Amino acid sequence: MTSLRRVHPAEQERLLALGDRTEAVLRAAGFPVIVEPDPDDHRDAGGAVIEVDVFEGACGVWVDWVVARPWRDEAFRLLVAGDKENPRVRQQIAVHAAMRTALTAVLTAAGLTVVPSDDDMRPLELKVTG
């Protein structure tokens, strides 16, 4: 089994600072922000989720949008039941797409570089690279 290794300390510092800047920009724009790890489980309410990954292979600042837990749970149940065309599922997909666009626009306007994820474990997230 391969052990996880952190990136160089200087790169860790850069990523943590970039994560802080990303959070500040989104909060200033009025987005509810959840910073991972989130021991208080703010994901219940939904918002922009920021995770700073400092491990080799997946390092970076990642941003995602989550809707409130009841809606996520409902959509999950519908998808598991095979009802992918349900209006609530389609609406959640539309919200996620719109919020990705909005998050990208706000972060880019603040001078940050944002790219779609190239990580198959984070297929719908955004990566803030600088």
Side-chain angles (χ1 to χ4, degrees):
M1 181 159 97
T2 306
S3 64
L4 294 174
R5 293 189 322 190
R6 292 179 183 263
V7 295
H8 189 274
E11 178 64 1
Q12 288 180 47
E13 286 182 35
R14 185 191 76 78
L15 290 170
L16 292 169
L18 183 58
D20 288 345
R21 182 160 179 231
T22 300
E23 177 185 359
V25 166
L26 294 180
R27 285 193 191 281
F31 288 98
V33 175
I34 304 157
V35 178
E36 293 291 349
D38 177 28
D40 297 323
D41 202 14
H42 290 101
R43 282 181 177 237
D44 283 348
V49 178
I50 300 172
E51 182 180 356
V52 178
D53 190 330
V54 295
F55 292 96
E56 289 181 357
C59 71
V61 175
W62 300 93
V63 179
D64 196 10
W65 183 263
V66 294
V67 297
R69 184 171 308 278
W71 192 359
R72 286 195 318 270
D73 291 348
E74 176 188 12
F76 180 76
R77 282 191 303 275
L78 291 165
L79 286 169
V80 167
D83 193 1
K84 64 183 179 186
E85 294 303 318
N86 186 288
R88 290 293 283 169
V89 172
R90 289 195 332 257
Q91 184 184 17
Q92 183 172 338
I93 292 167
V95 166
H96 193 270
M99 294 311 296
R100 279 176 45 114
T101 300
L103 291 165
T104 299
V106 168
L107 293 168
T108 301
L112 294 167
T113 302
V114 180
V115 296
S117 174
D118 60 355
D119 185 333
D120 60 353
M121 297 302 290
R122 302 172 183 270
L124 299 176
E125 295 183 31
L126 300 168
K127 187 173 187 179
V128 182
T129 61

